[in-house]
């Protein structure tokens, strides 16, 4: 069985994914890291040198690859489910369950405001107000995809352990 973690950047997909994979003794795959290894370039480097269209094309190719792995916890990039027919691939993947880690705008702003430089999508935003507006607009656009997940879990003000426990209880 594969567990596919979906959610906005800063929602905890990587942290939850690593912990969940340890507990279940599953392989952990971060799609962005997987892409970087395969392309021998960073995500922001790929965006800069080859553009978003190229990135989204290879993202789909590598998504298809990781969905075929056995017994894995897979963390997707925040935008992955929203492009092409990626969400369809995710929902129709054999022996897989998707989990939307749903964080509120205030929670996301709190988590992301100090790491803007590490996040190409928000690095250009100057103020916290711009960050709030950006996240709100994005979440609105992306919620139609995120909400197609098998399970939706609110992650606000919860510990990593309690979120991991909830995921396990929902799926097994």
């Amino acid at each position: 069985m594969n567990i596919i973690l979906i959610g906005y950047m800063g929602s905890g997909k990587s942290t939850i994914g690593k912990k969940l994979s340890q507990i279940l003794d599953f392989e952990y795959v971060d799609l962005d890291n997987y892409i970087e290894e395969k392309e021998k370039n960073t995500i922001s480097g790929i965006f800069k040198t080859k553009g978003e269209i190229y990135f989204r094309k290879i993202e789909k190719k590598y998504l298809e690859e990781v969905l075929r792995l056995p017994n894995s916890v897979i963390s997707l990039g925040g935008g992955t489910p929203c492009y092409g027919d990626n969400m369809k691939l995710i929902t129709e993947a054999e022996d897989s369950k998707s989990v939307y880690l749903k964080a509120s705008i205030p929670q996301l702003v709190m988590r992301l405001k100090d790491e803007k430089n590490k996040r190409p999508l928000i690095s250009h935003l100057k103020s916290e107000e711009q960050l709030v507006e950006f996240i709100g607009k994005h979440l609105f656009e992306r919620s139609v995809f995120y909400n197609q997940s098998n399970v939706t879990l609110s992650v606000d003000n919860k510990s990593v352990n309690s979120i991991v426990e909830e995921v396990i209880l929902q799926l097994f």
Side-chain angles (χ1 to χ4, degrees):
M1 173 189 204
N2 285 336
I3 300 169
I4 304 154
L5 299 178
I6 291 171
Y8 199 71
M9 68 175 132
S11 62
K13 299 179 300 287
S14 299
T15 305
I16 301 302
K18 287 172 191 163
K19 182 81 170 179
L20 195 55
S21 66
Q22 288 171 342
I23 289 169
L24 297 173
D25 197 24
F26 278 21
E27 186 179 340
Y28 174 69
V29 180
D30 178 295
L31 183 61
D32 284 349
N33 293 346
Y34 187 87
I35 293 169
E36 289 179 345
E37 279 175 35
K38 294 285 187 176
E39 292 291 306
K40 295 177 180 30
N41 197 352
T42 63
I43 299 297
S44 55
I46 296 167
F47 265 81
K48 276 184 198 136
T49 58
K50 298 190 175 175
E52 186 176 6
I53 292 168
Y54 174 83
F55 174 76
R56 294 301 173 192
K57 208 159 116 181
I58 60 163
E59 179 183 51
K60 178 183 177 169
K61 175 181 129 181
Y62 294 128
L63 173 64
E64 288 170 336
E65 280 181 24
V66 299
L67 289 175
R68 287 193 292 269
L69 298 171
N71 297 330
S72 299
V73 176
I74 304 164
S75 297
L76 301 183
T80 305
C82 311
Y83 290 91
D85 61 352
N86 288 352
M87 196 63 207
K88 187 173 190 265
L89 290 172
I90 294 161
T91 56
E92 292 178 359
E94 205 170 305
D95 201 25
S96 294
K97 294 287 181 199
S98 54
V99 178
Y100 170 26
L101 299 178
K102 185 176 186 174
S104 68
I105 295 170
Q107 188 85 50
L108 291 168
V109 168
M110 189 180 76
R111 292 178 182 184
L112 292 170
K113 66 181 177 193
D114 295 329
E115 52 177 72
K116 284 197 314 194
N117 296 339
K118 293 184 219 152
R119 309 270 188 173
L121 213 53
I122 58 172
S123 59
H124 67 285
L125 301 173
K126 304 288 181 244
S127 68
E128 201 170 304
E129 292 76 37
Q130 286 179 317
L131 187 59
V132 169
E133 194 176 308
F134 184 87
I135 293 170
K137 179 179 176 286
H138 251 170
L139 275 181
F140 177 76
E141 292 166 349
R142 293 177 174 190
S143 63
V144 67
F145 300 99
Y146 292 168
N147 287 324
Q148 292 175 46
S149 299
N150 297 105
V151 174
T152 298
L153 287 180
S154 172
V155 297
D156 283 8
N157 306 311
K158 291 180 184 171
S159 70
V160 170
N161 289 340
S162 70
I163 295 166
V164 167
E165 197 176 299
E166 275 188 68
V167 170
I168 292 168
L169 287 172
Q170 291 277 346
L171 297 181
F172 296 97

